[in-house]
Amino acid sequence: MFSNHVTNDLSAYCTGELTAERNREVAEHIIACAQCRSEYDEIKVGVNLAQQLPVETAPPEMWSKIEAALQSGPAIQPSSRRAFFWRPQFAAIAAAVVVVILIGVWVSRNRQIQPAGPAWQVATLNGRPTIGSTQISGRGELAVGQWLETDQNSSAQINVASIGQVQVDPNTRVRLVATKPTEHRLELARGQMSARIWAPPRLFFVDTPSAVAADLGCAYTLIVDNSGSSLLRVTSGWVALELKDRESVVPAGAACQTRPGIGPGTPYFEDAGAEFLTALTEFDFDSNPAEKSRALTRLLQTSRVKDTLTLWHLLTRVNGDERRRVFDRMTSLVDLPADVTREGILNLDSAMLNKWKEKLEFYWVSGTVDPKAKKDLKSGRPFSLWPKLKEAVRNVGK
Ligand SMILES: [Zn+2]
């Protein structure tokens, strides 16, 4: 499927050396190609590490020690000279020298290619938004650390480096936290913003008071209210909402709420039934264990095949008998893949959980009918293949 992998351009992509057009081609390829994406992830880790290393000059004693070690050479018999080079001390010094040289080369190379002042272009859409304490009309620049604020009559659009756009709606406060080749980060303190990002996964982040939204190649809307709670609605691709060890992965058509002190709730499809949605909110954010348990029963009863998005996330958030009930409801809706066992899932075997998720993603993304469920995913009504087959045959004849 992919004849033109972008492997050769990945490190240049990571350090911002490509032209804007090539940058976008590489970004789009990485979103679709798992092979290049995994290579990119590895390169990104290396670049991140190198960026955090301070540049140090080697102390003079180090060189004199190396010289002394080399000058002690004549004392070593030719037959044992080879042994000298394999001594641990020499190997350690040699390795340190190589690392210092490599870091030096990397840093000096990247000094030249980094863009000068990190700032994002802002265009006014309505009214007079402010950047810092200055009102802007037309265009402006948002530098790292600065706040962009809109009142009830103003809105703005931000160009996120070369990787996407963010629309800032009225009554919103956002701050540019960081912008570098391996990470672009905004903070949304309150209000509403919509993002459209065409970068590879995990390059664009939005901090909110109760979770971090990590872009996985997507378009989405994020709303933060005055209490610090937020609502994420994804319109294309995937977004991950994270707080500490809790992660909710949200595909297009789905949404997820967050609360201060709790973090991300469980993701759900917005076309789920009203009873399912009410029960899920109670389960996620009610503090009374008995209420939670009753809510879980109701949401399991009213779940559809597509709602396995919610149930899959619940597997790791409930224990004991509740986990068994979630599992049983899931397997009544969809089959377990080969090599995935009941015992493995109940023990939260991460490889098995991921394998099952990969199979479920097909239903989440395509909305395809699962034969086992015999229900139409859109209407939730019992589904029969026969009328569709007849219709298809009729259409072929036309
Ligand atoms: Zn590729």
Side-chain angles (χ1 to χ4, degrees):
M1 186 179 171
F2 296 109
S3 51
N4 302 314
H5 289 296
V6 296
T7 324
N8 292 338
D9 280 343
L10 285 177
S11 89
Y13 175 80
C14 240
T15 50
E17 289 169 81
L18 299 175
T19 62
E21 195 190 340
R22 183 62 186 150
N23 204 56
R24 189 165 175 169
E25 285 169 5
V26 171
E28 283 171 356
H29 180 91
I30 304 175
I31 291 169
C33 173
Q35 187 187 325
C36 289
R37 194 161 61 233
S38 97
E39 268 187 59
Y40 165 75
D41 282 341
E42 281 171 25
I43 290 172
K44 202 168 86 171
V45 169
V47 169
N48 258 332
L49 272 176
Q51 279 177 338
Q52 285 161 17
L53 289 170
V55 190
E56 297 283 353
T57 312
E61 314 90 76
M62 183 171 161
W63 297 111
S64 50
K65 275 181 196 162
I66 293 174
E67 269 170 32
L70 291 174
Q71 275 161 11
S72 70
I76 300 165
Q77 296 306 309
S79 58
S80 65
R81 188 177 285 270
R82 198 186 154 100
F84 166 78
F85 287 107
W86 287 107
R87 274 198 216 155
Q89 299 94 316
F90 182 83
I93 291 169
V97 170
V98 169
V99 168
V100 168
I101 290 169
L102 284 179
I103 292 169
V105 168
W106 194 93
V107 169
S108 66
R109 232 177 121 228
N110 284 279
R111 282 260 165 83
Q112 292 157 12
I113 55 177
Q114 293 286 353
W120 289 354
Q121 300 299 315
V122 177
T124 302
L125 296 176
N126 280 302
R128 305 282 296 265
T130 58
I131 293 179
S133 52
T134 314
Q135 276 201 327
I136 58 162
S137 61
R139 301 194 162 269
E141 277 200 341
L142 184 65
V144 172
Q146 278 187 313
W147 287 96
L148 166 65
E149 192 162 1
T150 55
D151 60 16
Q152 56 181 343
N153 299 315
S154 58
S155 59
Q157 181 170 290
I158 305 173
N159 279 340
V160 181
S162 58
I163 65 156
Q165 283 176 336
V166 166
Q167 183 176 317
V168 181
D169 288 349
N171 291 320
T172 300
R173 242 168 93 74
V174 292
R175 183 171 70 100
L176 174 51
V177 178
T179 180
K180 47 190 180 174
T182 52
E183 181 186 308
H184 303 283
R185 189 177 287 265
L186 269 183
E187 176 184 350
L188 174 62
R190 68 168 155 76
Q192 175 167 328
M193 54 158 272
S194 307
R196 223 159 47 81
I197 301 296
W198 45 80
R202 298 195 175 279
L203 199 54
F204 179 64
F205 301 86
V206 180
D207 297 341
T208 77
S210 48
V212 177
D215 167 84
L216 306 175
C218 61
Y220 65 90
T221 299
L222 193 55
I223 304 167
V224 173
D225 69 15
N226 288 334
S227 74
S229 298
S230 55
L231 172 66
L232 166 77
R233 305 176 70 186
V234 180
T235 45
S236 105
W238 293 82
V239 179
L241 270 182
E242 301 163 336
L243 188 76
K244 294 176 193 143
D245 55 349
R246 192 171 244 229
E247 183 188 60
S248 291
V249 186
V250 191
C256 189
Q257 304 182 54
T258 75
R259 293 280 193 282
I262 298 176
T266 318
Y268 55 88
F269 278 104
E270 294 194 281
D271 63 359
E275 197 178 353
F276 177 88
L277 295 177
T278 311
L280 181 63
T281 304
E282 283 174 27
F283 174 83
D284 277 342
F285 304 117
D286 202 308
S287 55
N288 179 333
E291 287 292 336
K292 266 181 172 327
S293 179
R294 277 195 288 275
L296 181 66
T297 304
R298 290 208 312 282
L299 81 86
L300 289 178
Q301 281 166 353
T302 51
S303 54
R304 311 161 298 166
V305 172
K306 211 173 154 188
D307 299 325
T308 50
L309 166 72
T310 305
L311 305 191
W312 183 87
H313 280 84
L314 285 178
L315 283 170
T316 53
R317 298 178 184 193
V318 294
N319 297 304
D321 185 51
E322 289 189 333
R323 186 178 300 154
R324 279 189 287 277
R325 284 163 59 205
V326 173
F327 176 88
D328 290 341
R329 178 57 182 162
M330 289 179 77
T331 48
S332 77
L333 295 167
V334 292
D335 287 322
L336 273 182
D339 310 336
V340 175
T341 64
R342 178 185 168 90
E343 196 191 8
I345 294 294
L346 293 179
N347 288 327
L348 303 183
D349 178 296
S350 58
M352 288 197 194
L353 281 169
N354 280 328
K355 197 158 188 192
W356 203 7
K357 177 165 162 271
E358 275 166 28
K359 185 184 172 187
L360 294 170
E361 279 172 7
F362 173 75
Y363 303 117
W364 303 345
V365 172
S366 67
T368 304
V369 173
D370 177 53
K372 188 175 176 183
K374 298 187 177 59
K375 295 236 177 161
D376 189 307
L377 287 185
K378 288 211 173 90
S379 65
R381 284 194 293 272
F383 170 78
S384 161
L385 205 59
W386 183 234
K388 298 223 169 189
L389 276 176
K390 280 200 291 191
E391 191 190 332
V393 171
R394 272 204 305 275
N395 287 337
V396 167
K398 278 178 190 168

